[in-house]
Amino acid sequence: MQEKQLNQLTNEVAEMATIAQAGFLQAWRAFLEADVDLAREVIVRDEKLNVLAEKIFKMSLRLIALQAPVAADLRAIGSYLKIVTDLERIGDLAVAIAKVVVRLEGKAYQLSLFEMPTMAERVKEMLSVCVQAIESGDFRRLRLLDEMDDVIDGYYSKCFEYVEWSMEKQPELIKEGVQLIKVLQSLERIGDHATNIGEWSLYMSTGNIADLNT
């Protein structure tokens, strides 16, 4: 199999990872600032991610059909197909966060965000580890994702309980509370998809399945 073609596939996946990361960062900024216009931009721009995913799928299938890759090359293509699926889901979850902003019509939040901003910072760090690994081909830091995801899960539990308690104390804010829970769920799931990307990247590198979501 020609190295040039595999390098092109790698570059496309790296570009998709960068776009997915940027989409999340933009969605989170829209949420923090209650910026409806920015949130709508996130929703529209997600189509670019979907188009790139389709391009990568077709490119991968073409390589398998025409080049008959074996061993490491075949493992790389199979791993990229899995990684692309996770990147596409991260894009969908960024859109889910943006849609919350639109539903709440850009109004200032009456419920405290509690530790959600800190949780989001940890998610940003996980995505950064993934993107840097895909771009550089250096997968050593990916094993940090296991512990990082545990931290995300801890924040999710604390924040979920806080929002639930807040809604019980202020029933008139249930609509807002439900939307905040949707954001929490999106953050937690992005962390899960980041660990999936880490697992498939390590498999591509070593040939061994790593469980980073213990």
Side-chain angles (χ1 to χ4, degrees):
M1 180 173 169
Q2 293 184 12
E3 185 177 351
K4 179 181 178 181
Q5 293 169 310
L6 189 57
N7 287 340
Q8 183 182 358
L9 181 63
T10 301
N11 291 337
E12 295 288 356
V13 174
E15 181 184 355
M16 187 174 178
T18 301
I19 293 172
Q21 180 187 39
F24 167 69
L25 294 175
Q26 189 175 33
W28 181 250
R29 183 159 66 89
F31 175 75
L32 281 182
E33 298 174 4
D35 188 332
V36 174
D37 290 337
L38 186 59
R40 289 197 173 109
E41 285 182 24
V42 173
I43 296 169
V44 171
R45 288 179 183 174
D46 184 58
E47 182 59 24
K48 183 177 181 181
L49 201 65
N50 296 334
V51 169
L52 187 53
E54 184 176 356
K55 178 182 178 182
I56 293 169
F57 280 128
K58 289 180 178 178
M59 186 185 302
S60 299
L61 294 177
R62 193 180 306 116
L63 286 175
I64 292 171
L66 300 180
Q67 298 293 328
V70 295
D73 288 346
L74 182 60
R75 191 167 68 235
I77 295 171
S79 298
Y80 281 145
L81 287 171
K82 292 289 189 178
I83 289 169
V84 164
T85 300
D86 283 300
L87 290 171
E88 196 169 18
R89 286 296 298 128
I90 289 171
D92 292 341
L93 291 164
V95 167
I97 294 172
K99 285 182 176 179
V100 165
V101 180
V102 175
R103 286 191 206 102
L104 294 177
E105 301 174 336
K107 296 175 183 176
Y109 305 116
Q110 298 182 65
L111 291 173
S112 168
L113 298 183
F114 192 48
E115 295 190 66
M116 285 177 65
T118 307
M119 180 181 179
E121 288 300 318
R122 301 291 84 79
V123 172
K124 288 180 189 178
E125 291 172 3
M126 292 185 75
L127 289 179
S128 180
V129 168
C130 291
V131 172
Q132 288 174 12
I134 292 171
E135 289 178 340
S136 68
D138 184 350
F139 299 141
R140 288 174 294 181
R141 294 189 67 223
L142 290 173
R143 295 194 180 277
L144 298 174
L145 292 171
D146 189 356
E147 185 176 340
M148 295 170 83
D149 190 51
D150 289 342
V151 172
I152 297 296
D153 291 342
Y155 277 118
Y156 175 78
S157 297
K158 288 192 293 183
C159 291
F160 187 94
E161 289 174 5
Y162 176 78
V163 174
E164 195 174 47
W165 174 82
S166 298
M167 290 191 293
E168 290 175 358
K169 294 294 183 182
Q170 299 171 278
E172 70 277 11
L173 298 180
I174 284 179
K175 177 183 175 182
E176 180 180 314
V178 168
Q179 296 305 312
L180 294 187
I181 286 174
K182 289 181 184 296
V183 173
L184 277 173
Q185 291 171 333
S186 294
L187 291 173
E188 193 271 337
R189 288 170 185 164
I190 289 172
D192 288 342
H193 286 293
T195 59
N196 289 347
I197 291 170
E199 288 172 357
W200 286 109
S201 297
L202 287 169
Y203 171 70
M204 177 169 54
S205 173
T206 67
N208 297 317
I209 302 272
D211 187 356
L212 300 179
N213 200 2
T214 56

